[in-house]
Amino acid sequence: MTTLVVSAHLTSWDLVTEDVGAVLFTVLFIGWALLPFAAAVAVAVSVYRHWRGGAAVAIVGGLVLVALTVGLLWSVLTSESSTAVLGLLFAPFLQAAVAGVTMVAAVCLARWRRRRQSRLA
């Protein structure tokens, strides 16, 4: 949603209301921008259900995702470059990578804790 606000700030709403193609592009773009957050929610649900030992990593990963998103959007908004808006197209790749690394780290930490507890028991 924030990406939509930034893109609306940087462009004109006339582009969105002109024709069906522009509306379809806008809807697809919003879906593309929200995809990493859907992945982050999937990571959180998976960690909560199966890998509770990695919950701390999932929380830190979520905070990193939010901080990264704010930083990326701020840099696009404050940039004077004409191609800075391209950052909105490529940001989901970086955001999805954060979600993936978070999942791997949470699973590794949870497995390590399980092994450690089984050795102590």
Side-chain angles (χ1 to χ4, degrees), residues 39-52 54-55 57-62 95-111:
V41 169
V43 166
V45 169
S46 178
V47 167
Y48 178 74
R49 288 186 179 168
H50 305 290
W51 307 102
R52 287 195 184 193
V57 174
I59 291 169
V60 169
Q95 293 166 324
V98 169
V101 168
T102 299
M103 183 66 188
V104 169
V107 168
C108 289
L109 179 64
R111 291 184 74 181

Side-chain angles (χ1 to χ4, degrees), residues 17-70:
T17 58
E18 268 184 21
D19 60 8
V20 175
V23 172
L24 180 63
F25 175 78
T26 303
V27 169
L28 290 174
F29 185 72
I30 291 170
W32 173 246
L34 292 177
L35 197 61
F37 295 100
V41 169
V43 166
V45 169
S46 178
V47 167
Y48 178 74
R49 288 186 179 168
H50 305 290
W51 307 102
R52 287 195 184 193
V57 174
I59 291 169
V60 169
L63 293 174
V64 167
L65 179 64
V66 169
L68 175 70
T69 302
V70 169

Side-chain angles (χ1 to χ4, degrees), residues 11 15-16 21 56 97 107:
T11 61
L15 295 174
V16 175
V107 168

Side-chain angles (χ1 to χ4, degrees), residues 1-11 13 16 25-27 29-31 33-34 73 88:
M1 189 54 89
T2 310
T3 305
L4 177 63
V5 171
V6 170
S7 62
H9 175 72
L10 295 174
T11 61
W13 277 103
V16 175
F25 175 78
T26 303
V27 169
F29 185 72
I30 291 170
L34 292 177
L73 294 176
L88 297 177

